[in-house]
């Protein structure tokens, strides 16, 4: 008797609900009871009421005793019961084919390691300064523009005047605390001396006592409240303490320094009042020591003229950030005394959140996107490569599927089996990848100039990322056998007929080739630009040039003595002083006007100073006019030299003899242009050549042109140094090295792409290797027949490699276009770019083709060399 | 009672060598009710089974009880009581025949075991002894309506 003959049909959903929850061995009697009772109810109270009561009836049956369960009487298997078995089989499969498994795990692990590294890097960058407990309320006061009596000038300084902060607490209740972080000394590093131990350290800052209130700097020895109150106090980092004091307790010890206290006429020394844990690497404030601001002998003299301190403020929770920043300029209206500061009228300030500072300074979102994109690409290529490897195993898998089906496996069980296998595989690869990362972390950090630690690894974001990778790769890797192979008809599969999903695989391989070509092209283009930066003629000679800085306690005139001294020896060809490093970007800028200039707007020019020998030493040519010369004594105070760009921008025509002035044309003090130099780069190739004006003066940088043997030359120069500047350290830089420093970030990017391209090639061609071996095995019989019919080995190799070569060609175009566009975003950072090297495209294509061909041909050759008599024997 | 978690989708509850897959936490009291004495409702159900024997199954018992007690009795409640009684050993069951109203499904027929018989007798005796000891005029008078 079937259910449909029952005249009274209770609601269907209730039955379904019950079926879902109830043990299958109980459903029969329960549903039977319910239906019978329902029929009775309909007769007794009518259908409507019966239906209402039916819900209650069903509900009464939903109880734990009726629930699905496994018990010894009626056992129904759960997925978890099979899991152990699935894992066992998966493990056996992995061990059975060690070469395949090894390759896959290595390739996938490599990809995962790279992605994890990027993930850690992103985490590091995005969490810059987040460790400060009050980070969300801390802001840096910056100065986007200043107002002089004449006009508003955009300056984008990150600093403020030192005395600004002191007005805060009186006028702004919204500010809880402020901290100035600055250096009141000129030298690059300070020498700290304790007993006989002398240590040079550059990361030292003067700061206010509230530093420890605003920033989470962990002072573990000493009193946090009083450590920075009063003059001549210092707190030092744990590692600096170790360098200075070794194992001694640093607290209450006195450190001598080479800072001169001019008013007292002696060196400053500091009392150690605290030791703090080293500041995490992802912080803007990278200091090894802080000196109390009251140690600064000039602290009370600062006026609004010098913008030399970084000011951080801690705001109230309720503070209105926008309005607060805007209202800062009223400080100038209120306190600025025009007699004391004639130029500045007002400065406009902005509040930049502490956590956004690093993000803004490092290129912000663009690089984050690029790196995320790179991570996704890597993941994709690792995934595709893995899928290719799995596909290569498809014939074996298909047989397995056939036999399992014959033995009674359901399709869902096969899906689970294959997914388990894939997840196990991915898990192993991930373990390998993590180990690889742990081992190579230091090397990577060194190469890329980053400071990522393993400590950053154990974080929720990274671990979640790992989980996501595991699921993503595990799923896409397992889905091919799980969903395609499991659908096969056993009889067909066991006879050797495979369903071929060629288009799917071709797309995968095509995408992979596209990524490889893309990465290679990017690497090539970046390399081209980096070479260009290295080789570009900067307008001056940078080889064999050594730059020296004047020690802080000497006057620039002392250079004359030193110059004369070193020029005596055979190693030094020329020597000159200047106020800037050519190409170093440290030339000052300021408003300059010229006689006969065009336009109304106040123009800005770079302003440099050098002596008679500078142009000769640097190999800079004059276009017209003459160099500063001792024959014209007026040169010292009245002459100027400008560059070609200056002439062009100020529209001077013939510049010689024209008058130039600082500031506006009303300035009575003027200089006469006596010469025009050929343009040379004042800063890195990121920026264009701008107007430059040079005046005569002995300045604090000394450039030495060395002849012949550099190291021998430096030894001699050091001797002279010791004679003339006793008790100072001899520090020098080679100009070409110093200039390359401007491209450090670019070189890192170059290295990133270089590493990336190697990883990409390894991973993808590993997948290709697997796929090619699979395809050639597939065609063993075909090849046998062709051979019998007279095909040569060459024909066969061409036949089997043709598909791949074609795919490379198809993938190349979109890859080239994308690479071109992406690299151009990067190139926009440079005012000077290398010309497009079209040969590069050809080279990349050739390289990819060659590699592809050699891999496929290798397998094709193997197959082609097999004896047809043997391969055709079995059917 | 032992809770065992696995890394899979469910949680097992191991109880007296049986594994219960917990999908929803409901009616937990079922675990606490395994005592060998007889609940009031169970007693009535047990007696009804005796009355209806050999045609005693949950729907029939529920209908009978509804008539006798004059309130709505769900089949589920009866079914649960029958299950418990069977677990305690007072009832035994076998599958009976199918009917059209049941949509072709068989029903489970219950009959009383020796232990069940002893149980109802014991209960009856306790009641009789108690009745016998109630003094005359102790119970207030009322009209049996």
């Amino acid at each position: 008797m079937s259910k449909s003959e029952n005249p009274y049909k209770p609601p269907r959903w209730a039955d379904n609900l019950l079926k879902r929850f109830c043990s299958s061995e109980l459903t029969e009697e329960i549903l039977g009871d319910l239906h019978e009772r329902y029929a009775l109810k309909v007769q007794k109270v009518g259908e409507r009421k019966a239906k209402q009561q039916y819900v209650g009836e069903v509900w009464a049956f939903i109880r734990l005793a009726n629930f699905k369960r496994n018990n010894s009487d009626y056992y129904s298997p759960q997925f978890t019961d099979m899991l152990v078995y699935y894992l066992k089989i998966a493990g056996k499969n992995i061990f059975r084919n060690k070469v395949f498994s090894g390759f896959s795990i290595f390739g996938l692990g490599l990809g995962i390691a790279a992605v994890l590294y990027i993930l850690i890097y992103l985490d590091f960058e995005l969490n810059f300064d987040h460790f400060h407990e009050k980070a969300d309320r801390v802001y840096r006061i910056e100065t986007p523009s200043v107002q002089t009596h004449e006009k508003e000038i955009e300056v984008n300084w990150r600093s403020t005047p030192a005395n600004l902060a002191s007005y805060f607490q009186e006028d702004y209740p919204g500010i809880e605390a402020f901290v100035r972080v600055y250096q009141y000394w000129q030298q690059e590093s300070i020498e700290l001396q304790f007993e006989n131990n002398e240590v040079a350290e550059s990361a030292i800052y003067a700061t206010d006592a509230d530093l420890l209130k605003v920033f989470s700097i962990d002072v573990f020895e000493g009193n946090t409240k009083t450590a920075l109150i009063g003059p001549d106090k210092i707190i030092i980092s744990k590692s600096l303490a170790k360098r200075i004091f070794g194992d001694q307790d640093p607290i209450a010890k006195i450190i001598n320094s080479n800072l001169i206290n001019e008013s007292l006429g002696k060196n400053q020394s500091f009392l150690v009042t605290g030791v703090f844990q080293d500041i995490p690497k992802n912080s803007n404030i990278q200091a090894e020591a802080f000196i109390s601001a009251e140690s600064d002998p000039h602290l009370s003299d600062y006026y609004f003229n010098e913008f030399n301190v970084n000011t951080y403020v801690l705001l109230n929770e309720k503070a209105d950030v926008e309005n607060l920043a805007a209202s800062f300029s009223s400080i100038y209206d209120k306190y600025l005394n025009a007699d004391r500061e004639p130029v500045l009228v007002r400065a406009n300030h902005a509040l930049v959140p502490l956590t956004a500072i690093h993000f803004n300074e490092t290129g912000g979102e663009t690089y984050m996107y690029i790196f995320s994109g790179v991570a996704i690409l890597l993941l994709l290529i690792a995934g595709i490569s893995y899928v290719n490897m799995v596909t290569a195993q498809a014939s074996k898998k298909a047989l397995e599927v056939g036999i399992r089906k014959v033995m009674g496996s359901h399709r869902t069980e096969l899906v689970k089996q294959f997914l388990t296998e894939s997840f196990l595989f991915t898990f192993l690869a991930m373990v390998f990848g993590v180990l690889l990362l742990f081992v190579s972390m230091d090397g990577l950090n060194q190469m890329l100039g980053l400071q990522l630690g393993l400590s950053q690894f154990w974080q929720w974001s990274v671990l979640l990322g790992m989980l996501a990778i595991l699921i993503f790769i595990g799923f896409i890797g397992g889905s091919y056998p799980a969903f395609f192979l499991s659908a096969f008809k056993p009889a067909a599969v066991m006879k050797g007929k495979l369903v071929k999903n060629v288009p799917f695989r071709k797309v995968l391989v095509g995408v992979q080739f596209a990524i490889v070509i893309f990465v290679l092209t990017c690497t090539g283009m970046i390399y081209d630009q980096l070479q260009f930066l290295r080789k570009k003629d900067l307008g001056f000679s940078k080889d064999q040039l050594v730059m020296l800085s004047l020690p802080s306690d000497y006057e620039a005139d002392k250079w004359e003595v030193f110059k004369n001294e070193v020029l005596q020896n055979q190693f030094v060809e020329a020597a000159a002083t200047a106020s800037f490093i050519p190409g170093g970007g440290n030339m000052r800028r300021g408003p300059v006007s010229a006689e006969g200039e065009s336009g109304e707007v106040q123009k800005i020019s770079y302003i440099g100073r050098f002596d008679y020998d500078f142009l000769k030493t640097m190999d800079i040519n004059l276009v017209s006019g003459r160099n500063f010369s001792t024959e014209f004594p007026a040169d010292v105070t009245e002459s100027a030299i400008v560059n070609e760009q200056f002439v062009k921008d100020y529209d001077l025509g013939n510049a010689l003899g024209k008058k130039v002035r600082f500031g506006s044309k009303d300035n009575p003090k003027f200089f006469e242009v006596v010469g025009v130099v050929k343009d040379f780069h004042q800063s890195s190739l990121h920026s264009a050549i701008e107007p430059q004006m040079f005046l005569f003066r002995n300045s604090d940088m000394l450039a030495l042109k060395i002849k012949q043997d550099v190291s021998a030359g430096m030894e001699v120069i050091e001797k002279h140094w010791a004679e003339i500047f006793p008790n100072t350290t001899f520090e020098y830089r080679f100009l070409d090295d110093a200039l390359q420093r401007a491209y450090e970030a670019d070189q890192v990017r170059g290295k990133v792409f270089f590493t990336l391209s190697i990883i990409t090639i390894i991973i993808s061609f590993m997948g290709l290797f697997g796929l090619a071996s699979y395809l050639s095995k597939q065609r063993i019989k075909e090849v046998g027949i062709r051979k019998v019919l007279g095909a040569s080995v060459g024909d066969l190799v061409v036949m089997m490699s043709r598909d791949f070569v074609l795919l490379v060609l198809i993938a190349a175009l979109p890859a080239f276009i994308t690479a071109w566009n992406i690299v151009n975003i990067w190139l926009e950072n440079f005012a000077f770019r290398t010309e497009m090297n079209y040969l590069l495209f050809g080279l990349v294509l050739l390289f990819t083709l060659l590699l592809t061909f050699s891999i496929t041909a290798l397998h094709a050759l193997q197959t082609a060399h097999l004896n047809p008599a043997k391969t055709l024997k079995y059917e | 009672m032992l809770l065992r978690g696995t890394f899979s989708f469910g949680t097992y509850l191991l109880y007296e060598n049986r594994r219960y897959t917990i999908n929803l936490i409901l009616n937990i009291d079922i675990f606490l009710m395994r005592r060998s004495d007889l609940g009031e409702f169970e007693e009535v159900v047990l007696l009804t089974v005796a009355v209806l024997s050999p045609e005693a199954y949950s729907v029939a018992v529920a209908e009978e009880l509804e008539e006798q007690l004059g309130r709505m009795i769900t089949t589920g409640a009866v079914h649960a009581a029958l299950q418990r009684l069977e677990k305690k050993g007072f009832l035994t069951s076998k599958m009976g025949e199918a009917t059209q109203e049941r949509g072709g499904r068989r029903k489970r027929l219950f009959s009383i075991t020796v232990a069940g018989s002893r149980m109802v007798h014991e209960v009856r005796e306790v009641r009789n002894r108690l009745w016998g000891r109630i003094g005359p005029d102790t119970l207030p008078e009322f009209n049996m309506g």
Side-chain angles (χ1 to χ4, degrees):
Chain A
M1 216 181 292
S2 75
K3 206 155 98 183
S4 59
E5 285 166 54
N6 189 345
Y8 312 109
K9 284 184 85 179
R12 196 62 165 285
W13 62 266
D15 285 7
N16 289 337
L17 183 74
L18 214 58
K19 274 186 198 155
R20 174 153 301 225
F21 285 114
C22 274
S23 272
S24 46
E25 75 268 14
L26 290 175
T27 7
E28 179 175 8
E29 55 179 288
I30 288 176
L31 276 181
D33 283 354
L34 278 171
H35 284 222
E36 188 181 342
R37 191 86 197 275
Y38 178 76
L40 286 172
K41 283 264 167 77
V42 171
Q43 282 166 358
K44 261 196 242 166
V45 295
E47 194 167 350
R48 235 186 94 201
K49 210 139 184 223
K51 259 191 188 145
Q52 283 167 9
Q53 289 184 5
Y54 189 71
V55 180
E57 291 273 359
V58 169
W59 182 247
F61 271 110
I62 299 182
R63 51 199 314 142
L64 209 52
N66 296 335
F67 274 179
K68 284 197 169 153
R69 63 191 177 196
N70 302 322
N71 64 38
S72 45
D73 302 335
Y74 309 97
Y75 190 81
S76 75
Q78 302 278 314
F79 175 62
T80 45
D81 295 324
M82 293 292 283
L83 201 58
V84 176
Y85 168 78
Y86 290 149
L87 281 172
K88 214 175 186 173
I89 296 289
K92 278 184 182 165
N93 274 340
I94 288 170
F95 274 104
R96 198 172 52 194
N97 203 339
K98 292 195 186 70
V99 177
F100 161 76
S101 307
F103 267 116
S104 303
I105 289 178
F106 179 77
L108 202 51
L110 194 63
I112 288 175
V115 171
L116 285 180
Y117 189 76
I118 294 176
L119 218 59
I120 293 173
Y121 171 68
L122 284 177
D123 185 80
F124 176 83
E125 289 284 305
L126 291 175
N127 286 316
F128 229 80
D129 278 325
H130 278 259
F131 67 92
H132 295 296
E133 270 162 45
K134 296 169 188 158
D136 54 327
R137 290 194 284 137
V138 178
Y139 293 80
R140 181 163 78 185
I141 303 182
E142 298 191 353
T143 313
S145 64
V146 294
Q147 174 81 42
T148 66
H149 283 288
E150 284 158 16
K151 64 196 167 296
E152 190 167 325
I153 306 171
E154 205 174 292
V155 289
N156 282 327
W157 286 324
R158 284 156 192 167
S159 50
T160 68
N163 59 332
L164 188 69
S166 49
Y167 302 112
F168 286 155
Q169 280 179 323
E170 296 157 32
D171 293 16
Y172 296 95
I175 295 176
E176 245 181 68
F178 67 87
V179 179
R180 291 171 288 193
V181 178
Y182 70 111
Q183 297 182 325
Y184 60 80
W185 48 91
Q186 302 300 317
Q187 51 263 69
E188 231 171 85
S189 62
I190 297 183
E191 276 155 28
L192 298 172
Q193 182 226 332
F194 176 72
E195 289 172 357
N196 294 325
N197 193 8
E198 207 175 270
V199 169
E201 178 56 59
S202 57
I204 301 180
Y205 298 92
T207 188
D208 292 296
D210 273 345
L211 176 88
L212 303 175
K213 195 167 149 193
V214 175
F215 297 107
S216 301
I217 292 169
D218 180 15
V219 177
F220 63 95
E221 272 186 77
N223 186 337
T224 342
K225 293 228 170 65
T226 58
L228 287 169
I229 295 177
D232 299 334
K233 302 279 180 66
I234 191 169
I235 60 173
I236 55 180
S237 74
K238 202 175 171 185
S239 54
L240 184 63
K242 183 117 188 130
R243 277 163 59 205
I244 300 176
F245 297 101
D247 295 330
Q248 294 185 57
D249 180 17
I251 295 292
K253 299 264 163 45
I254 291 185
I255 307 179
N256 288 319
S257 78
N258 63 340
L259 292 179
I260 306 282
N261 186 336
E262 283 146 20
S263 52
L264 295 176
K266 60 166 190 157
N267 283 14
Q268 279 191 301
S269 50
F270 299 98
L271 176 71
V272 180
T273 51
V275 185
F276 58 88
Q277 295 285 3
D278 292 356
I279 297 174
K281 296 279 188 281
N282 55 350
S283 173
N284 276 299
I285 297 169
Q286 287 299 332
E288 293 294 332
F290 292 103
I291 294 171
S292 60
E294 286 162 78
S295 322
D296 181 358
H298 304 290
L299 188 65
S300 52
D301 305 337
Y302 290 122
Y303 207 57
F304 291 102
N305 54 341
E306 264 188 277
F307 286 70
N308 56 353
V309 308
N310 285 331
T311 308
Y312 298 88
V313 289
L314 175 66
L315 300 185
N316 270 341
E317 263 134 27
K318 283 169 279 175
D320 180 354
V321 179
E322 299 262 314
N323 287 335
L324 193 62
S327 65
F328 282 154
S329 37
S330 67
I331 289 181
Y332 296 85
D333 304 337
K334 205 166 156 191
Y335 298 104
L336 192 124
N337 183 348
D339 297 336
R340 217 177 143 184
E341 172 46 49
V343 181
L344 188 76
V345 174
R346 183 184 304 118
N348 296 315
H349 293 296
L351 285 170
V352 179
L354 178 67
T355 47
I357 292 173
H358 176 77
F359 200 63
N360 295 344
E361 282 174 7
T362 49
E365 288 172 353
T366 320
Y367 281 112
M368 296 295 118
Y369 283 135
I370 288 181
F371 276 107
S372 314
V374 163
I376 290 170
L377 272 192
L378 264 176
L379 208 56
L380 202 64
I381 205 159
I384 291 177
S385 191
Y386 175 52
V387 170
N388 279 341
M389 294 288 262
V390 171
T391 316
Q393 296 281 297
S395 53
K396 274 182 196 158
K397 277 266 142 61
L399 206 63
E400 189 187 328
V401 169
I403 292 179
R404 276 180 196 286
K405 278 200 162 177
V406 169
M407 303 297 279
S409 267
H410 275 293
R411 195 181 158 196
T412 51
E413 276 150 19
L414 286 173
V415 169
K416 286 173 196 164
Q417 163 75 63
F418 287 131
L419 283 181
T420 311
E421 201 171 312
S422 174
F423 275 102
L424 180 66
F425 223 107
T426 317
F427 180 74
L428 289 179
M430 185 159 269
V431 170
F432 173 74
V434 170
L435 287 179
L436 191 69
L437 186 64
F438 279 19
V439 171
S440 57
M441 191 74 135
D442 286 340
L444 279 172
N445 279 342
Q446 218 158 43
M447 192 180 83
L448 303 178
L450 296 172
Q451 290 153 321
L452 305 182
L454 290 177
S455 58
Q456 264 123 21
F457 189 80
W458 305 111
Q459 291 203 33
W460 280 114
S461 49
V462 175
L463 294 178
L464 274 179
M466 282 174 70
L467 191 68
I469 293 172
L470 183 68
I471 291 172
F472 176 70
I473 303 270
F475 192 76
I476 63 166
S479 56
Y480 176 71
F483 297 110
F484 290 94
L485 294 184
S486 66
F488 290 168
K489 297 264 180 303
V493 169
M494 288 176 40
K495 266 194 202 153
K497 277 186 203 156
L498 252 182
V499 179
K500 280 188 187 147
N501 42 355
V502 173
F504 167 70
R505 207 163 49 218
K506 274 191 178 161
V507 168
L508 283 190
V509 178
V511 169
Q512 203 173 22
F513 281 139
I515 295 177
V516 169
I517 294 172
F518 166 76
V519 171
L520 278 177
T521 314
C522 286
T523 311
M525 285 176 79
I526 292 173
Y527 179 78
D528 263 3
Q529 174 70 9
L530 291 177
Q531 279 303 106
F532 170 78
L533 295 178
R534 203 180 283 274
K535 300 243 170 81
K536 173 91 167 67
D537 179 17
L538 297 175
F540 55 85
S541 111
K542 61 186 176 190
D543 302 321
Q544 304 273 78
L545 265 162
V546 178
M547 307 298 298
L548 304 173
S549 298
L550 187 70
S552 58
D553 10 350
Y554 291 90
E555 292 295 317
D557 300 337
K558 198 81 177 172
W559 277 138
E560 278 306 311
V561 185
F562 185 71
K563 256 171 79 177
N564 292 335
E565 193 80 14
V566 289
L567 281 170
Q568 300 298 317
N569 82 64
Q570 48 162 341
F571 293 108
V572 180
E573 192 179 321
T577 71
S579 64
F580 59 94
I581 299 172
N586 62 343
M587 219 188 283
R588 283 183 43 196
R589 288 178 89 192
V592 167
S593 37
E595 179 190 12
E597 70 174 295
S598 65
E600 295 297 303
V601 196
Q602 172 70 64
K603 293 194 173 82
I604 306 277
S605 170
Y606 278 93
I607 302 156
R609 296 166 206 273
F610 53 67
D611 65 7
Y612 303 114
D613 304 319
F614 181 76
L615 295 182
K616 188 183 86 195
T617 311
M618 302 304 298
D619 249 339
I620 297 170
N621 295 326
L622 281 163
V623 178
S624 60
R626 59 175 180 83
N627 190 1
F628 297 129
S629 164
T630 39
E631 290 163 29
F632 300 88
D635 275 359
V636 176
T637 51
E638 284 165 19
S639 300
I641 292 175
V642 296
N643 71 347
E644 289 174 298
Q645 190 65 36
F646 188 98
V647 179
K648 211 182 284 168
D649 264 30
Y650 283 76
D651 207 6
L652 295 184
N654 181 12
L656 296 181
K658 294 262 167 63
K659 295 187 174 82
V660 289
R661 296 174 165 85
F662 285 120
S664 73
K665 283 179 193 152
D666 312 330
N667 190 342
K669 171 72 189 154
F670 64 85
F671 302 90
E672 196 183 300
V673 175
V674 296
V676 178
V677 287
K678 210 163 173 315
D679 279 339
F680 66 90
H681 286 267
Q682 80 278 347
S683 42
S684 73
L685 296 173
H686 288 121
S687 25
I689 296 179
E690 286 182 48
Q692 296 160 7
M693 177 179 87
F694 305 98
L695 305 175
F696 179 85
R697 199 173 80 192
N698 283 332
S699 306
D700 45 2
M701 299 293 311
L702 183 74
L704 291 177
K705 178 106 177 162
I706 311 283
K707 274 194 292 209
Q708 306 159 7
D709 188 355
V710 176
S711 58
M714 290 320 294
E715 257 172 54
V716 177
I717 292 166
E718 187 168 3
K719 265 183 210 140
H720 290 301
W721 179 278
E723 281 167 28
I724 295 166
F725 304 109
N727 296 328
T728 58
T729 30
F730 178 56
E731 284 179 76
Y732 63 91
R733 275 183 284 181
F734 287 102
L735 184 59
D736 46 359
D737 287 349
L739 295 186
Q740 279 304 313
R741 215 164 287 172
Y743 309 120
E744 238 164 45
D746 301 308
Q747 276 160 350
V748 165
R749 267 153 219 156
K751 281 176 189 164
V752 167
F753 266 88
F754 184 70
T755 319
L756 185 65
S757 57
I758 289 179
I759 292 176
T760 314
I761 289 171
I762 292 177
I763 296 176
S764 56
F765 283 92
M766 232 170 222
L768 187 65
F769 193 85
L771 194 61
S773 99
Y774 160 72
L775 286 181
S776 58
K777 268 185 207 133
Q778 280 277 292
R779 298 174 87 166
I780 281 182
K781 279 194 182 130
E782 183 195 334
V783 167
I785 293 170
R786 280 179 194 272
K787 250 186 130 174
V788 168
L789 293 177
S792 72
V793 170
D795 291 340
L796 291 171
V797 169
V798 168
M799 178 197 83
M800 284 195 279
S801 322
R802 197 175 42 202
D803 275 3
F804 285 113
V805 169
L806 210 67
L807 271 178
V808 172
L809 292 176
I810 294 170
L813 190 67
F816 282 145
I817 293 171
T818 329
W820 165 269
N821 283 316
I822 298 269
V823 175
N824 268 327
I825 295 177
W826 177 70
L827 283 177
E828 270 164 28
N829 287 325
F830 296 93
F832 297 88
R833 288 163 227 166
T834 172
E835 271 172 46
M836 193 53 233
N837 184 359
Y838 291 98
L839 198 64
L840 177 73
F841 292 131
L843 275 176
V844 167
L845 195 60
L846 194 69
F847 177 74
T848 318
L849 278 177
L850 267 179
L851 208 55
T852 310
F853 183 75
S854 52
I855 284 175
T856 48
L858 192 78
H859 288 284
L861 268 177
Q862 252 173 18
T863 313
H865 275 300
L866 290 175
N867 186 350
K870 279 184 183 154
T871 57
L872 294 175
K873 203 158 63 178
Y874 305 103
E875 171 55 29
Chain B
M1 216 181 287
L2 178 73
L3 263 173
R4 190 165 67 115
T6 72
F7 55 91
S8 72
F9 313 113
T11 298
Y12 289 135
L13 211 54
L14 263 187
Y15 178 59
E16 299 206 343
N17 292 329
R18 292 186 174 213
R19 302 200 296 180
Y20 297 87
T21 307
I22 309 286
N23 295 324
L24 263 173
I25 305 294
L26 266 188
N27 295 345
I28 283 288
D29 63 350
I30 198 85
F31 294 106
L32 310 172
M33 285 183 64
R34 272 178 69 91
R35 20 167 229 225
S36 53
D37 57 332
L38 211 52
E40 191 214 359
F41 187 65
E42 285 172 10
E43 185 189 339
V44 196
V45 171
L46 194 55
L47 286 171
T48 317
V49 171
V51 171
L52 295 176
S53 205
E55 273 298 304
Y57 65 104
S58 43
V59 176
V61 173
E63 289 284 316
E64 180 67 28
L65 279 177
E66 215 161 77
E67 230 161 76
Q68 292 295 327
L69 300 178
R71 60 179 163 99
M72 214 188 109
I73 304 285
T74 61
T75 328
V78 174
H79 186 263
L82 289 171
Q83 271 185 332
R84 286 200 296 272
L85 288 167
E86 188 177 9
K87 228 180 234 173
K88 290 175 184 176
F90 302 146
L91 289 177
T92 176
S93 74
K94 61 174 200 281
M95 296 307 281
E97 84 282 14
T99 64
Q100 191 185 346
E101 291 80 22
R102 299 180 65 85
R105 298 185 184 87
R106 293 175 301 165
K107 52 184 146 196
R108 184 172 287 276
L109 295 171
F110 291 86
S111 52
I112 295 194
T113 61
V114 180
S117 171
R118 185 184 300 142
M119 193 63 182
V120 275
H121 278 101
E122 259 172 35
V123 169
R124 188 179 181 181
E125 222 153 278
V126 169
R127 305 239 157 132
N128 282 346
R129 276 202 299 275
L130 288 171
W131 274 108
R133 285 170 57 196
I134 299 174
D137 304 325
T138 322
L139 295 171
E141 294 258 337
F142 67 100
N143 284 329
M144 284 279 271

